[in-house]
Amino acid sequence: MGDRWYSEAVVYCLDIDTYADSDGDGVGDIRGLIGRLDYLARLGVTCLWLHPIHPSPNRDDGYDVTDFYNVDPRFGTLGDFAELLHQAQNRGIRVIIDLVVNHTSDQHPWFVSARSSPDSPYRDWFVWADHEPADRHQGMVFPGEQNETWTYDRTAKAWYYHRFYKYQPDLNFANPKVRAEVKKIVSFWLQLGVSGFRMDAVPFIIELTEPGNPDSPKDFEFLTELRQHVQWRRGDAVLLAEANVEPDELPTFFGDGGGSGNRIHMLFDFMLNGRLMLALARRDPEPVIEALRDTPTLPTGGQWATFLRNHDEIDLSRLTAAQRDQVYAEFGPEEHMRIYDRGIRRRLAPMLGNDRRRLELAYALQFSLRGTPVLRYGEEIGMGEDLSLPGREAIRTPMQWSFKPNAGFSTADPEKLVRPVIDAGDYSYEKVNVTAQRGDPRSLLSWFERMIRTLREAPEIGSGSTTHIDVPMPAGVLAHRADGPTGTMVFLHNLGTDDVEIDLGMLAAEADLPLDVLTDRQYGEVGKLDSLKLAGYGYRWIRLCRGDTF
Ligand code: GLC
């Protein structure tokens, strides 16, 4: 394994409150998660990304923090958290946490003080305007649920800025005290032993908001400062950022200090996510090929984080209207499956009609593309969504562990659960759960274990370079390769429904006993690579050769 652990990691994200409840109060907790670490180790994940763990009124599922130096008492204590870090480390699993510092909750003591008086020491920690800003109704992140970004506060007798919901006032990063405090927060958690942070809403953190200017300047230097600070405090810590911006802006987030990245280590590849959805909807790999081609060059140490599903809606805003409509027609045909005029609030299994072949295809493709794969809890068993829940809660239901009541998530009365368990239809916990799949070598869970094990033997994917193999292919098929000092892997994924035959004979000269290492079925010998069979929705991961290092 290379020195940069994050390049060859498998990241698994989860909400503590919906994962496992150890004390029967209906809310998942840290001790519950500790009890599931062996499961996660067996699955093969190497890094957990925990959604916000801090005390919160929970109006935005924890993304509205009231104390950055503690854990939500519903989840346990700081002592429990330290134990989690220790137990995870014992199993070779790292932990990163969400760092949500673009804003606080409006109930955070800093904001309570700030609004109480212009003389409050925290007044300048937030962003104020004395008069109604002209851009009051611009820049909302949650259209339909939010109609302004500036709200008048009667106590403060002033307008405050909030990029997100109005109960999430933005911190003022032009204030050196705020910047110093964020560094202190980061240091605190690094000192406890986390391996880094998933940074929430980074383009908005660095925005130096000017009332009336919807295109306020951005202060990228803060990211340089923060990176230096983090790396001094813990050499192997990483920053993984949410920055859903135009592709030409992305390199600035990675930074470039003379060829090496000097800001964010890893960025979620939102562009690829939208293109993957379009490719799956069209059964045509062209959008993925375009995404690979258009990817900006990364500085040394920069890395993409790939994903199919996360805790938010699938954001299709970077597709054209016609492309978006195609994805909607295929994966979100009903109005209530969509949200914010730009996305889909569903899990992948129902989007793909619970078609096992297509699910394997989609995840095999994601995990074989350049970057570090991120997997959302429950996807490994093919969980569904509950569209009767509001907004994004539809995809935030409790983990389905077993046939026991409440899916084995909690022993509480069902009405006390943090969110209802899915207990009807094709995705009910009686049909989809870990216990049922654990002992079945043909289950989706067993497939994920196998696929992740195979990935761990193919470091070229995370650390090498990935290119499209640009030779004539049957419709629907993507061929790509990953090259690194450890050797070369070749991948074939058929997004279409027809069985096909592929000629990759031109690669034979590079091959050294080529071998199928992950396939949807037995295909027989790879041979001279000139007549490779591939079923509809099939895939083949082929090791072409090993490098000199082995
Ligand atoms: C990010 C999170 C999202 C949250 C928002 C506000 O986009 O992913 O869940 O609502 O930030 O913090």
Side-chain angles (χ1 to χ4, degrees):
M1 168 169 288
D3 268 351
R4 297 175 190 270
W5 65 268
Y6 58 90
S7 296
E8 290 162 37
V10 177
V11 181
Y12 183 93
C13 65
L14 66 96
D15 271 304
I16 290 185
D17 63 353
T18 48
Y19 205 61
D21 170 18
S22 72
D23 59 5
D25 66 354
V27 183
D29 47 46
I30 296 169
R31 300 205 68 79
L33 172 56
I34 293 173
R36 298 300 180 176
L37 287 173
D38 287 329
Y39 164 79
L40 292 164
R42 170 170 160 173
L43 178 57
V45 305
T46 61
C47 178
L48 301 182
W49 151 29
L50 304 179
H51 296 301
I53 58 172
H54 308 301
S56 161
N58 259 308
R59 294 183 68 186
D60 184 15
D61 211 10
Y63 284 90
D64 45 339
V65 174
T66 50
D67 179 2
F68 291 104
Y69 295 100
N70 218 328
V71 295
D72 189 326
R74 299 178 316 147
F75 300 166
T77 62
L78 271 180
D80 293 329
F81 187 74
E83 184 64 16
L84 168 69
L85 294 178
H86 172 73
Q87 292 290 347
Q89 190 182 24
N90 270 351
R91 292 162 177 83
I93 298 177
R94 293 170 182 268
V95 177
I96 66 175
I97 59 171
D98 238 298
L99 180 69
V100 191
V101 291
N102 173 65
H103 46 264
T104 67
S105 156
D106 61 355
Q107 294 172 44
H108 193 295
W110 300 339
F111 189 67
V112 173
S113 167
R115 64 194 288 224
S116 70
S117 154
D119 303 325
S120 155
Y122 292 103
R123 186 73 162 198
D124 284 348
W125 284 44
F126 296 88
V127 184
W128 300 97
D130 292 333
H131 306 287
E132 180 180 337
D135 60 342
R136 173 180 169 193
H137 295 293
Q138 290 182 47
M140 284 82 67
V141 174
F142 300 127
E145 295 184 12
Q146 181 195 4
N147 57 20
E148 56 185 7
T149 47
W150 290 91
T151 292
Y152 185 71
D153 185 85
R154 283 190 197 172
T155 315
K157 297 192 183 55
W159 298 79
Y160 68 91
Y161 181 68
H162 54 91
R163 174 60 81 165
F164 296 91
Y165 294 112
K166 73 172 181 204
Y167 51 79
Q168 292 168 318
D170 273 40
L171 281 164
N172 175 15
F173 275 80
N175 182 344
K177 290 192 178 137
V178 168
R179 298 157 86 106
E181 187 73 28
V182 168
K183 288 182 196 155
K184 204 159 97 182
I185 294 166
V186 158
S187 309
F188 175 82
W189 293 100
L190 289 175
Q191 199 67 32
L192 258 182
V194 303
S195 291
F197 304 90
R198 179 267 186 188
M199 284 184 76
D200 191 55
V202 173
F204 303 131
I205 292 181
I206 58 175
E207 194 176 42
L208 299 173
T209 312
E210 298 166 351
N213 180 2
D215 272 320
S216 295
K218 290 197 178 92
D219 178 14
F220 282 97
E221 276 320 297
F222 175 66
L223 299 180
T224 320
E225 262 175 54
L226 188 71
R227 164 71 178 265
Q228 273 209 13
H229 179 81
V230 161
Q231 226 77 86
W232 267 110
R233 291 296 168 107
R234 182 169 170 163
D236 63 351
V238 297
L239 298 172
L240 162 59
E242 178 197 36
N244 191 353
V245 297
E246 292 294 334
D248 57 346
E249 261 197 86
L250 289 165
T252 328
F253 286 84
F254 286 108
D256 193 341
S260 267
N262 64 350
R263 291 180 182 145
I264 301 292
H265 304 77
M266 270 201 285
L267 288 177
F268 288 106
D269 197 342
F270 282 95
M271 191 54 104
L272 177 66
N273 181 254
R275 302 272 177 90
L276 271 167
M277 292 301 157
L278 183 61
L280 289 167
R282 286 183 177 167
R283 295 175 173 79
D284 172 3
E286 199 51 40
V288 176
I289 296 170
E290 264 172 38
L292 290 181
R293 202 176 45 222
D294 298 348
T295 304
T297 314
L298 300 189
T300 306
Q303 175 82 344
W304 297 109
T306 65
F307 61 102
L308 284 168
R309 291 303 295 115
N310 63 15
H311 63 299
D312 290 329
E313 78 285 0
I314 295 172
D315 185 344
L316 303 171
S317 56
R318 290 189 197 283
L319 300 182
T320 65
Q323 293 172 335
R324 197 159 42 243
D325 285 345
Q326 269 185 314
V327 180
Y328 279 153
E330 184 79 12
F331 298 140
E334 293 165 40
E335 187 59 41
H336 69 148
M337 298 170 171
R338 306 179 205 155
I339 190 167
Y340 308 139
D341 291 334
R342 62 162 180 253
I344 298 180
R345 55 179 199 122
R346 302 187 76 192
R347 282 208 183 242
L348 200 70
M351 283 174 46
L352 298 180
N354 219 3
D355 183 336
R356 174 64 186 274
R357 294 173 310 157
R358 253 186 132 185
L359 267 172
E360 282 185 26
L361 170 76
Y363 276 108
L365 178 55
Q366 181 214 332
F367 276 61
S368 69
L369 288 173
R370 82 280 181 283
T372 298
V374 180
L375 180 66
R376 172 141 172 85
Y377 82 90
E379 288 290 305
E380 74 274 28
I381 53 171
M383 272 174 60
E385 71 268 344
D386 179 350
L387 292 167
S388 72
L389 295 175
R392 294 168 294 172
E393 286 183 28
I395 48 161
R396 298 176 179 179
T397 60
M399 179 67 178
Q400 297 174 190
W401 292 106
S402 71
F403 297 98
K404 289 189 187 157
N406 299 333
F409 158 69
S410 168
T411 54
D413 287 342
E415 64 274 12
K416 287 210 179 128
L417 295 189
V418 58
R419 222 159 274 143
V421 159
I422 295 181
D423 61 1
D426 289 344
Y427 304 91
S428 90
Y429 69 88
E430 278 145 343
K431 295 198 175 134
V432 176
N433 69 57
V434 169
T435 305
Q437 295 192 24
R438 187 180 261 150
D440 176 359
R442 288 156 312 159
S443 68
L444 184 62
L445 177 60
S446 297
W447 178 80
F448 262 101
E449 291 173 357
R450 213 161 48 243
M451 188 267 284
I452 292 174
R453 272 203 304 276
T454 311
L455 176 80
R456 305 274 298 270
E457 278 191 313
E460 300 84 0
I461 299 176
S463 293
S465 62
T466 300
T467 37
H468 169 224
I469 302 176
D470 197 5
V471 299
M473 278 290 138
V477 176
L478 172 66
H480 68 285
R481 61 186 285 166
D483 295 275
T486 46
T488 298
M489 294 279 295
V490 168
F491 308 94
L492 294 171
H493 292 88
N494 187 356
L495 282 73
T497 49
D498 294 341
D499 296 354
V500 295
E501 199 170 290
I502 293 156
D503 180 3
L504 283 182
M506 70 292 290
L507 299 181
E510 296 180 56
D512 166 25
L513 274 186
L515 201 67
D516 271 324
V517 291
L518 187 81
T519 52
D520 63 301
R521 68 191 61 196
Q522 292 282 344
Y523 282 111
E525 293 292 302
V526 171
K528 294 192 170 61
L529 298 153
D530 53 356
S531 54
L532 296 165
K533 294 199 180 336
L534 190 62
Y537 294 146
Y539 55 88
R540 294 176 82 159
W541 289 14
I542 299 168
R543 173 154 294 283
L544 200 64
C545 61
R546 284 265 177 211
D548 296 338
T549 46
F550 288 89

